[in-house]
């Protein structure tokens, strides 16, 4: 199984020595960052003064290791030779759907979901609402983004490589459990087109997020005080684009998300230290109609499916 241990071995066997060396170097950098981060945490006894930066270092190294392995398997399989072209992004997008949350601690009912995005040049405003259909549990998120790097969404042909700066406000309300949370966060969200790294990786992409947030918890009980909690935002994943630019096109992304404040919570395998796995997919068809789905696996299982509609042409 070339590529599983020595990333780049699959490309080496396929005769692409340049990409093989690049992937091996990426794996080496990831392992070095992982060892350095975990080693520093161990030596300092997980000191609160540096635990944030060392966790970022360790998890970023782990992300590089996983992404380089996925890229080697993808490219060595020859999937990139028939990659589709990206399509320009519409100015307005709306989404309406349903979601379910299976949580061992909270008895959630099905949710109705409503989302939307407005894109103006390099700026984007987006929001989504999850409302329990037979209850009062609710999630509201509002975000703004500015594209720092990459071609504008309206460019022809567009590219999936970009770097965005984002600001997000969120509000979770759990009236049955008598508490709510309000949070704000800032992050850098990046995406690298596989073709920019190597021709054999065309049709795939790597995605990552790094940021920081602050969350306030309030409780509907006499004498309760407000609790503040910091959020370390880390996310990395690898995805593929399928289909044709002029017809039906699909995009699938599998990622690890370190945040533990959402419905999915923390992974039960990590004793609350690790985040959760996130599988997202979207299907865009002709006429602006499409579907988007999400599955999250943490301490809770979250599944969502929505019908999407794109309007207004290119921004």
């Amino acid at each position: 199984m070339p590529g599983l241990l020595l990333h780049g071995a699959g490309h080496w066997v396929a005769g692409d020595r340049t990409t093989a060396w690049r992937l091996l170097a990426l794996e080496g950098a990831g392992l070095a960052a992982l060892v350095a981060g975990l080693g520093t945490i161990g030596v300092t006894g997980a000191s609160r003064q540096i635990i944030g930066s060392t966790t970022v270092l360790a998890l970023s190294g782990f992300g590089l290791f996983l992404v380089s392995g996925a890229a080697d398997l993808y490219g060595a399989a020859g999937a990139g030779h028939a990659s589709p072209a990206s399509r320009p992004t519409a100015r307005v997008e709306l989404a309406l759907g349903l979601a379910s949350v299976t949580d061992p601690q909270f008895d959630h009912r099905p949710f109705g979901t409503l989302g939307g995005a407005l894109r103006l040049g390099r700026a984007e405003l987006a929001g989504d609402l999850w409302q329990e259909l037979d209850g009062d549990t609710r999630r509201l998120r509002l975000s703004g983004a500015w594209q720092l790097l990459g071609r504008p969404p309206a460019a022809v042909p567009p590219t999936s490589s970009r770097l965005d700066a984002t600001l997000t406000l969120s509000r979770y309300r759990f009236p049955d459990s008598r508490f709510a949370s309000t949070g704000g966060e800032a992050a850098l969200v990046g995406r690298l087109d596989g073709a920019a790294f190597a021709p054999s990786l065309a049709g795939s992409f790597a995605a990552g997020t790094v940021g920081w947030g602050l969350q306030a918890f309030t409780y509907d009980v006499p004498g309760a005080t407000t609790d503040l909690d910091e959020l370390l935002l880390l996310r990395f994943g690898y995805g593929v684009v399928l289909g044709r630019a002029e017809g039906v096109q699909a995009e699938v992304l599998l990622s690890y998300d370190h945040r533990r404040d959402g419905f999915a919570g923390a992974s039960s395998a990590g004793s609350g230290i690790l985040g959760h796995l996130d599988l997202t997919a979207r299907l865009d068809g002709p006429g602006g109609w499409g579907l988007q789905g999400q599955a999250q696996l943490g301490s809770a299982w979250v599944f969502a499916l929505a019908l999407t509609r794109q309007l207004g042409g290119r921004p």
Side-chain angles (χ1 to χ4, degrees), residues 5-310:
L5 295 179
L6 291 177
H7 300 169
H11 280 77
W12 185 278
V13 172
D16 188 350
R17 304 298 172 85
T18 300
T19 305
W21 282 116
R22 289 179 179 178
L23 291 174
L24 183 61
L26 198 63
E27 178 190 22
L31 287 176
L34 177 61
V35 171
L38 293 179
T40 304
I41 292 175
V43 170
T44 61
S47 170
R48 292 180 59 88
Q49 282 71 31
I50 61 172
I51 188 61
S53 58
T54 51
T55 301
V56 170
L57 181 62
L59 288 178
S60 298
F62 184 56
L64 285 178
F65 177 82
L66 292 182
V67 167
S68 61
D72 191 32
L73 293 175
Y74 174 88
H81 296 299
S83 61
S86 299
R87 62 177 61 176
T89 306
R91 183 187 300 273
V92 177
E93 181 172 330
L94 303 175
L96 178 66
L98 295 171
S100 68
V101 179
T102 303
D103 193 319
Q105 300 186 46
F106 299 95
D107 184 20
H108 291 305
R109 302 164 185 84
F111 288 82
T113 66
L114 178 65
L118 172 64
R119 304 178 181 96
L120 300 171
R122 293 182 177 271
E124 177 177 323
L125 298 175
D128 69 82
L129 171 67
W130 285 34
Q131 174 64 54
E132 215 171 23
L133 295 179
D134 189 23
D136 294 325
T137 301
R138 181 182 306 125
R139 185 195 79 176
L140 175 64
R141 289 175 61 86
L142 301 173
S143 65
W146 180 262
Q147 185 178 346
L148 301 175
L149 299 175
R151 301 183 68 182
V156 180
T159 176
S160 63
S161 294
R162 56 186 295 159
L163 178 66
D164 296 347
T166 65
L167 293 174
T168 303
L169 297 176
S170 64
R171 172 72 173 178
Y172 286 82
R173 184 170 178 266
F174 300 89
D176 292 342
S177 300
R178 306 183 71 178
F179 79 94
S181 69
T182 303
E185 57 195 61
L188 292 174
V189 181
R191 173 170 167 149
L192 177 64
D193 192 341
F197 188 85
S200 63
L201 303 182
S204 69
F205 61 93
T209 299
V210 59
W212 177 87
L214 187 64
Q215 193 173 31
F217 291 90
T218 56
Y219 307 93
D220 185 19
V221 294
T225 58
T226 299
D227 292 332
L228 294 178
D229 191 18
E230 292 182 282
L231 296 173
L232 175 60
L233 308 175
L234 278 176
R235 181 188 178 105
F236 49 82
Y238 197 78
V240 297
V241 181
L242 307 169
R244 298 181 178 180
E246 66 277 8
V248 177
Q249 188 173 105
E251 182 176 294
V252 182
L253 172 64
L254 178 62
S255 60
Y256 166 80
D257 194 340
H258 192 62
R259 68 184 310 150
R260 304 181 294 277
D261 63 312
F263 287 124
S267 172
S268 57
S271 300
I273 299 175
L274 299 178
H276 59 270
L277 293 178
D278 191 337
L279 177 65
T280 59
R282 63 176 296 136
L283 179 70
D284 293 320
W289 293 97
L291 293 171
Q292 63 183 21
Q294 183 178 40
Q296 296 179 323
L297 177 59
S299 59
W301 290 19
V302 181
F303 299 97
L305 181 65
L307 177 68
T308 63
R309 174 64 169 164
Q310 297 190 26

